[in-house]
Amino acid sequence: MPPAKTSVVYKKKDGSLTVGDDTKYLFWTPSAPPGASPAVTIPVADITNLQQTGEASAKVALKVFVKEESYVFNFTSKDAARKEQVAVTDTLRDAIAALKAGTSLPSAPRAAQNGESASNQSGALTMAKAVSAKPQDEGWYDDSRLKSDFKLQRSLLISNEVLNDRFTRALSDKPDSVTVPQFTAQFWSTRLHLLRAHAMDTAQNVSEYNVLPEIKYTTTIVNDEPIKTLNMTKEQIALIFKQYPVVAVAFNELLPKPFPDPPTFWSRFFASRLLKKLKGMEIEPEKDPADPVLDKYLDYQQAMGPASLAFIPRTIDLEGNEQNTKFRLEGEFTMKAGRHDKPILHLLNQMSEKLLSHVAPEDGEAHAPIGMDEETFDQLQLRDLAMQDSDNRVVLNVREQQRYTHAQDDDDLSADARLYAKQDPSIVISSLRDDVQPVNFGSDEQGTLKLDRVIGVDEDEDEDEDMDDAPNGHTNGAKTKKVRIGSQASLADASTSIISSISQRRRNASSDAHSLNGLSQTVFDTLTMTHNTTTEFLHYFWTLFLSGDSSRVNELTGLVATLDRSLDRINAVGAQAEKEREERLEKMRVQVKEYFQRTGKKRRIDDSAVGGGKKVVDQMVRPTVEALKVASQAYRRALEAQMKETQMTIDPNERPKYSKYQLQTYLKRIKLPQKYIDSPVHSDASLAPSRDHGLPLLQALVRYHVCNVPFENLEIHYSAHKTISLNMDDLYVKFAERGLRYGRGGRCMEHNGFFGTVLRSLGYEVRNCAGRVSRMMSPDAETREKQGNTYDGFNHMLNLVRVEGQWWVVDVGNGPMGPNIPYPLQDGYECESIAPRRIRLQWRSIPEHAAAKYEDAQKLWCYDACFQPTGTSSGSKLVSEGEWVPVYCFTETEFLPQDYEMMSYFTSNNPKSFFTSMVLCIKMEMDEAEEKIVGDVTLGGDKVRRTTGPNVGGKKEVLRELKTEKERVEALKEFLGVELTQEESENIRPQTRLQS
């Protein structure tokens, strides 16, 4: 081992100089403050030269050259400065020589100086040489060797139960596309530090411990008499004999006479003066009774040394410390062996010898330098700091060498670098100084800097209008204002964030059972293991995703599916926690009921006081769930971008889908009741096409979607960009995430595009189709009167969904004119929609199809509505009783995303389009008890109406007439739950702005 710390002065500061245990670094640590970290760290490999003061010099110093720099250390020990300097210098020289020779350890010990015997060398130096002579295996520094050492990996798993559980669980949950070798390599690639530490730990030999202090009496009371019992193992007896040979000699000589058996010997031994001497304790004749049998071994010489015949250097040597007459322990006590002899000193010497007895011996005897005498060698070692000799060091200029090895020219600078090169430093610094003057930040009249003015805090501020318009930074392409630093909102957010972080840290660090927040230990352990496994797969995912290795695409795809299943596992733990919470609540209800029956008094149960449940689980794993969301979105964005770049037809199995987390957010958005969330379709996608499970869920999804997600064109009127995105990730943000906060919706291609992706993610087979809207649906009366029997071009989107071989029409993007229920694709099908309105589907030609005979004309699916069935006349002049009105026609031909892009662009930009001329927002209303759609609330232009029954012919009520933009924005929030941000409301299209 390297020499111990030495006292030195560096740059007029006291400190200590130490060579690292691996002889790779030289450290200087200041004395003040206590416990300070090293202030100077010098890699031994970078040392180019060493110089030391001459032997005759009163000043003992060492100068270390590191490339173009140098460090001078003055040794300050009064008695051992020269020895410490020599020890450090020799250790450094041996390390440097070993590096040059391509080895990691010194090859031979230093020769003794003139007039110095080997036994008089310092114990630290001798110990360092003994250790350095022993070869070591540094295989743990090789990463590839660690990753392929299966025996070491297995040993670590056996010794670390938590890591073993994590490995086993992750291995069992891995996707089939990932092989066991691939998984194992990835698992250990992130834990090389654990393997390395375990390899180093197992490479250490466990030394013997001092056994005597560990053996103690056990006192028991029998018949009011204390009885001492001595318990020893056979291993402890063997160690006593090995560490203290005098005990083995006494045992062999005294059994069977005069001691008849071993228990008698040990009981006498542990009560004797011999035991106290072996422990290093002072013998007191008045208190310690004499034992004539064992006392004769007090002067036994071998009792003072270990059971080793090898030569052991004396580290704490009484004779070796004869010259030390100034160090005092107590009173006149000194280290001089001739003046005082304490057992503790002998014991310390014994312990040091025992420690060194396990050190490998030196390679050979110390020898003089080869090819020269000792005196010449010493003179060459002693170099004066005056540097009178010429400096023959070779200076390596790495930067100059890079000129010849760099692949590009030095003048190949970036644009920023060329710009900075033209700046005048003095002008830049002067400008910065002017900028940071207090007067520029908000100083008071006396010129004092006021921090509240600097950051813009306004105590009198009532509202914060600089709020971001989208959660999580999503803007859907809109330019949003940044939150102003110092505003009330930013201060409140900062306080909330800090308090939340403190609370979370306190819960994580708490050992109190309440830190489980009401979860049972079983559920908490399951959640912990689920979290660990999920984190493992997230690490694996990002490693593959960021590697760009195209050969591992299948492996990555399997990992994405595994991440989705991880969300299912988290939900399962949440369900288990909720079940336990309900059981506790039920138990409390029973107790309250029994209490009422006994006393007639009622007690209330505070459900909020009962911890645990799914809510607590969601809070604990929220960061992990968010990480799953980010990973899923990143993969799907990359996949979509790659598909667009290749311009290839998308494989039906690779079409955009939403993750489990995204689906949960959407179901929360549409307020789907729990009975539908519990549908087995959510856990088994193969049940989606079934009539028993898939159809009821499909009907509920359509019903709750149209009643909670409005049909609106606000993006065209209230945005800076006035554009519509049909990207599935953008639609998810708009409908689900921003929908939860701002209540936003969209038009037909947004609704049905998003809804179709939701259905596809749940396991339904979906075909995207398109239709032509009838001009009878135009808000213009003249158009309805003159062109009511014709249709527009393709401007509408709808979906076909297959259930047990039968296609069903699903359209959630046509407002109150749409069916708002799934219905089968069947000629002549008719049913009731929004009572009393009826809808029908016919396979027929439209008037605009050219053909000599009607029978020969091309046919389409035509969707019609009868707003006033026979016998239900409401007196409306718009339609007659029993009249069927064409709504739209469509084809079964599958349309592609690029088709909808063109359709959407026209309908959102062309001045003739209905959507560009009127602000529209519609939300259907439902009787939740009957789960039936009963009407709608519509904001159209400058009025808000509520319609009970069908949109045409139903009972209408004007809720509010709007005169200003402010009133319209407020009405959107009040009646339809749609909230516009400050920026959105300010970007109203001039043509549709309400004038006050």
Side-chain angles (χ1 to χ4, degrees), residues 736-961:
E737 291 186 345
R738 297 195 69 215
L740 281 172
R741 181 175 177 182
Y742 298 104
R744 295 300 301 272
R747 301 180 306 141
C748 65
M749 278 163 270
E750 296 172 273
H751 272 278
N752 285 316
F754 170 77
F755 193 74
T757 302
V758 169
L759 296 180
R760 192 175 289 114
S761 304
L762 290 172
Y764 291 94
E765 182 182 354
V766 181
R767 180 189 295 173
N768 304 129
C769 300
R772 298 185 176 109
V773 177
S774 168
R775 291 192 172 108
M776 278 296 292
M777 298 296 104
S778 173
D780 180 64
E782 184 178 357
T783 301
R784 292 197 302 269
E785 181 181 355
K786 296 181 177 180
Q787 305 179 43
N789 63 338
T790 62
Y791 291 82
D792 291 330
F794 280 105
N795 59 357
H796 182 62
M797 177 182 181
L798 67 153
N799 293 310
L800 297 180
V801 179
R802 192 195 297 269
V803 177
E804 289 190 356
Q806 170 71 52
W807 286 106
W808 288 64
V809 181
V810 177
D811 183 3
V812 295
N814 203 19
M817 296 297 183
N820 295 312
I821 57 171
Y823 60 93
L825 185 69
Q826 179 180 328
D827 185 20
Y829 180 82
E830 180 178 333
C831 70
E832 186 178 77
S833 174
I834 303 175
R837 185 187 72 173
R838 298 186 67 79
I839 61 173
R840 74 180 182 187
L841 185 66
Q842 290 184 344
W843 176 250
R844 66 172 188 260
S845 299
I846 62 175
E848 295 162 278
H849 280 167
K853 296 182 180 180
Y854 176 82
E855 296 79 20
D856 298 333
Q858 183 181 0
K859 293 182 173 59
L860 295 173
W861 290 104
C862 296
Y863 162 70
D864 307 323
C866 181
F867 296 96
Q868 295 186 28
T870 303
T872 62
S873 177
S874 62
S876 174
K877 298 180 180 180
L878 297 177
V879 292
S880 304
E881 183 176 337
E883 178 185 3
W884 286 94
V885 178
V887 181
Y888 60 77
C889 62
F890 62 94
T891 174
E892 295 180 59
T893 302
E894 183 174 13
F895 275 57
L896 303 179
Q898 47 266 41
D899 298 322
Y900 297 121
E901 288 286 348
M902 298 180 65
M903 293 160 55
S904 176
Y905 182 82
F906 175 85
T907 55
S908 60
N909 288 277
N910 193 291
K912 296 181 181 180
S913 171
F914 159 74
F915 290 111
T916 63
S917 60
M918 177 184 289
V919 175
L920 183 67
C921 185
I922 307 172
K923 183 184 289 186
M924 309 305 295
E925 290 191 319
M926 179 172 54
D927 181 349
E928 295 187 2
E930 297 292 331
E931 289 194 10
K932 290 184 178 180
I933 299 175
V934 295
D936 66 85
V937 175
T938 300
L939 185 154
D942 59 355
K943 291 182 178 63
V944 181
R945 299 183 179 90
R946 171 176 278 115
T947 302
T948 303
N951 185 262
V952 178
K955 180 181 178 181
K956 296 184 181 297
E957 174 188 4
V958 177
L959 301 178
R960 183 172 299 173
E961 292 189 1

Side-chain angles (χ1 to χ4, degrees), residues 64 104 189 254 526:
V64 181
S104 59
S189 65
L254 300 179
T526 304

Side-chain angles (χ1 to χ4, degrees), residues 198-376:
H198 186 65
M200 298 172 69
D201 181 56
T202 54
Q204 304 298 316
N205 294 322
V206 180
S207 301
E208 301 169 358
Y209 64 94
N210 191 10
V211 64
L212 283 180
E214 298 295 324
I215 302 176
K216 300 178 181 179
Y217 282 97
T218 302
T219 303
T220 57
I221 305 299
V222 179
N223 298 327
D224 297 332
E225 294 291 336
I227 298 179
K228 293 184 177 181
T229 305
L230 187 66
N231 295 318
M232 288 194 306
T233 63
K234 60 180 182 179
E235 290 80 8
Q236 290 176 324
I237 294 175
L239 282 177
I240 292 175
F241 288 161
K242 181 178 181 181
Q243 295 175 0
Y244 304 95
V246 64
V247 181
V249 172
F251 186 87
N252 292 330
E253 292 180 355
L254 300 179
L255 268 75
K257 292 182 179 181
F259 299 146
D261 49 42
T264 304
F265 171 82
W266 292 118
S267 61
R268 292 277 293 272
F269 169 73
F270 278 95
S272 66
R273 297 180 178 182
L274 178 60
L275 175 67
K276 297 192 70 174
K277 183 169 184 178
L278 294 178
K279 284 186 174 183
M281 301 170 62
E282 186 175 358
I283 298 175
E284 302 179 25
E286 298 80 5
K287 297 181 180 180
D288 299 325
D291 189 325
V293 178
L294 293 175
D295 285 354
K296 65 181 181 179
Y297 293 97
L298 291 174
D299 298 327
Y300 194 84
Q301 294 299 320
Q302 288 191 19
M304 300 299 105
S308 175
L309 299 178
F311 170 76
I312 303 299
R314 294 181 175 181
T315 303
I316 301 178
D317 193 336
L318 298 182
E319 285 73 18
N321 283 283
E322 189 72 35
Q323 60 181 342
N324 186 1
T325 58
K326 296 182 179 181
F327 180 76
R328 299 178 181 274
L329 295 178
E330 294 179 3
E332 295 299 324
F333 182 87
T334 70
M335 295 292 289
K336 293 181 66 175
R339 295 186 54 185
H340 204 91
D341 189 2
K342 283 282 186 178
I344 185 63
L345 300 179
H346 294 282
L347 178 65
L348 292 174
N349 202 39
Q350 290 179 48
M351 295 304 299
S352 66
E353 291 174 344
K354 290 172 185 176
L355 290 173
L356 291 175
S357 66
H358 298 284
V359 177
E362 297 179 351
D363 289 342
E365 295 295 332
H367 54 79
I370 300 175
M372 64 182 72
D373 59 348
E374 192 72 33
E375 183 177 0
T376 304

